[in-house]
Amino acid sequence: MIDSNLLFVIGWGSVAVLVSSWLVLSFLSPGGLRAGLARLATCAMYLSLLCLFVSGLQGAESWVGRIGFGFLSVVFGMGLGVSLWKLLRPPTGGQELAAH
């Protein structure tokens, strides 16, 4: 089990990153910095939701709650994995859009 205080700190920290990223993104012009910051905000969103649902999973008392929170934890965990992969991969210079 993950300590609930750790989930709380990580979850609210990622919400702070998400909100501050949204505020900065609102004033940036399109470009590489904006795309990278948008990916960071996406990772923060998935991380905050994952912390929320893992906390719910640990507190669930019925098997229906465990199944529901477990399913949501897996879905948002996979979303976090994909968004981290997109954040950490090297930039392609927009060539991926031209290929489609």
Side-chain angles (χ1 to χ4, degrees), residues 34-51:
R34 183 178 175 142
L37 194 57
R39 288 187 184 118
L40 178 68
T42 304
C43 291
M45 178 194 68
Y46 278 114
L47 182 60
S48 62
L49 289 170
L50 181 63
C51 287

Side-chain angles (χ1 to χ4, degrees), residues 6-58:
L6 181 64
L7 286 173
F8 182 81
V9 169
I10 292 172
W12 280 108
S14 62
V15 167
V17 170
L18 175 62
V19 170
S20 60
S21 297
W22 273 348
L23 289 173
V24 173
L25 279 169
S26 299
F27 298 106
L28 284 178
S29 59
L33 178 63
R34 183 178 175 142
L37 194 57
R39 288 187 184 118
L40 178 68
T42 304
C43 291
M45 178 194 68
Y46 278 114
L47 182 60
S48 62
L49 289 170
L50 181 63
C51 287
L52 175 71
F53 291 122
V54 167
S55 175
L57 175 64
Q58 290 179 347

Side-chain angles (χ1 to χ4, degrees), residues 67-93:
I67 290 172
F69 283 118
F71 173 75
L72 291 170
S73 297
V74 167
V75 167
F76 287 108
M78 291 186 329
L80 177 62
V82 170
S83 61
L84 281 172
W85 175 73
K86 287 188 172 191
L87 176 69
L88 298 176
R89 72 179 176 179
T92 59

